[in-house]
Amino acid sequence: MKDILTAPFMVEMIRTVTNMYAHGWDERNGGNVSLMLEEKDVAEYLDITNVLRVIPTGFAAPTLAGKYFLVTGTGKYFKNVQYAPDVNLGLVRLVEDGKMAELLWGYTDGGQFTSEFPAHMMSHAARLEVNPENRVVMHCHPANLLAMTYVHTLDEIAFTRTLWQMCTECIVVFPEGVNVLPWMLCGTNEIGEATAEKMKTARLVVWSQHGIYGAGKDLDETFGLIETAEKGAEIYMKIAHLPRVNTITDEQLHLLEKRFNVKARDGYLN
Ligand code: 13P
Ligand code: ZN
């Protein structure tokens, strides 16, 4: 059996959460990441019949039964993951219609997966319906996106259009826009269900006054999505209080659609 700490999925996960911390998106234990794995890849590193613990999830996710996930632990600091991956990360398999998670590796201090497991698993299920290639759900607390939810209308069309106007690349990276949830209690099945519903139409879901969720086919794509939206929000927070002399017009956004062969969400451009 090969050493799981050398597995490409493990190396990439550790690099990604370390980088998220370096970007200031994950203070203390803020944020959480889940990466769906193929059974054949896990089996190269672990005896998949050796279940260490069974942890109830508190929800059902029948379409994810039998699926494997590498997930950050609840209360764990992203800055520490690189030094003690086996304490701060866990590898689980969902069973019994997703109502139970079998721990196969990690959480060695007796811990368990993130308190946002419902939002992660429900979002995986929702995104897989739209794109069978989806593998990642990522949550974090980037300061400018968070700040924007205090001073900008939460209307999804207006919020998206503002971000698209802030950097030329925004519409190219997330042409479907960002969806926005009002403030809700985190760590609950309710916010999980609401997030998953929003994930049906966009890979980015803002949690007002809290943070953002991103989804994608790999860790790089998902990180890049959040990075680009956060850059847009940063520009907005730099200029929102100043007179706007220039902007990116809808005509120019249409030119970007053509040049990069993307389609802006219906009804979002004039
Ligand atoms: P966890 O430590 O349970 O992952 O929670 C962090 C967080 O960001 C809650 O929204
Ligand atoms: Zn959070």
Side-chain angles (χ1 to χ4, degrees):
M1 203 72 66
K2 294 194 267 185
D3 177 2
I4 193 165
L5 293 179
T6 66
F9 59 77
M10 184 68 70
V11 172
E12 199 55 28
M13 180 73 146
I14 294 169
R15 283 186 186 156
T16 301
V17 297
T18 303
N19 200 13
M20 290 172 76
Y21 177 72
H23 275 64
W25 300 348
D26 299 279
E27 75 291 344
R28 200 176 183 275
N29 64 308
N32 18 79
V33 182
S34 57
L35 168 65
M36 199 172 100
L37 304 171
E38 302 299 321
E39 184 173 84
K40 66 169 176 37
D41 294 335
V42 177
E44 284 184 38
Y45 302 92
L46 294 176
D47 171 3
I48 58 171
T49 65
N50 185 24
V51 176
L52 306 175
R53 268 192 278 150
V54 181
I55 310 171
T57 63
F59 57 85
T63 59
L64 299 181
K67 303 258 188 240
Y68 295 76
F69 295 92
L70 184 61
V71 193
T72 54
T74 184
K76 300 303 189 221
Y77 294 23
F78 275 25
K79 76 180 180 63
N80 294 339
V81 171
Q82 62 178 319
Y83 306 112
D86 61 329
V87 179
N88 296 292
L89 301 174
L91 199 160
V92 297
R93 173 174 54 210
L94 290 188
V95 292
E96 294 181 34
D97 279 347
K99 291 187 193 129
M100 295 287 169
E102 295 177 328
L103 180 66
L104 302 177
W105 175 88
Y107 307 143
T108 53
D109 63 351
Q112 68 172 59
F113 39 72
T114 171
S115 59
E116 306 293 5
F117 204 54
H120 278 256
M121 293 303 113
M122 292 175 195
S123 293
H124 274 286
R127 284 310 305 172
L128 284 167
E129 298 252 313
V130 183
N131 177 9
E133 305 266 277
N134 197 86
R135 292 289 175 276
V136 176
V137 173
M138 183 180 284
H139 165 59
C140 56
H141 306 160
N144 293 290
L145 278 164
L146 227 155
M148 198 169 152
T149 66
Y150 286 86
V151 297
H152 193 284
T153 169
L154 301 180
D155 174 78
E156 289 172 341
I157 298 182
F159 203 95
T160 295
R161 287 175 53 80
T162 295
L163 290 176
W164 285 350
Q165 289 163 0
M166 292 303 108
C167 317
T168 294
E169 301 273 297
C170 277
I171 194 170
V172 180
V173 175
F174 49 94
E176 79 270 45
V178 298
N179 287 339
V180 183
L181 283 178
W183 187 92
M184 290 178 74
L185 189 61
C186 54
T188 62
N189 286 354
E190 288 70 29
I191 201 170
E193 283 154 14
T195 307
E197 189 57 36
K198 293 287 186 192
M199 280 283 179
K200 290 180 183 169
T201 50
R203 293 163 297 160
L204 288 167
V205 179
V206 171
W207 279 11
S208 294
Q209 296 85 48
H210 182 137
I212 191 163
Y213 268 74
K217 67 176 174 17
D218 56 35
L219 288 160
D220 255 7
E221 179 189 276
T222 315
F223 184 98
L225 262 176
I226 293 177
E227 190 178 30
T228 308
E230 170 62 1
K231 174 60 75 69
E234 181 180 356
I235 308 296
Y236 178 74
M237 293 310 297
K238 282 187 200 292
I239 64 154
H241 58 295
L242 300 170
R244 181 101 61 105
V245 178
N246 303 301
T247 194
I248 302 176
T249 64
D250 279 24
E251 204 178 12
Q252 290 165 335
L253 290 168
H254 282 302
L255 288 176
L256 287 163
E257 279 185 291
K258 285 200 197 77
R259 167 67 183 83
F260 291 96
N261 197 23
V262 295
K263 176 83 188 73
R265 184 132 156 211
D266 269 348
Y268 276 43
L269 289 182
N270 296 321

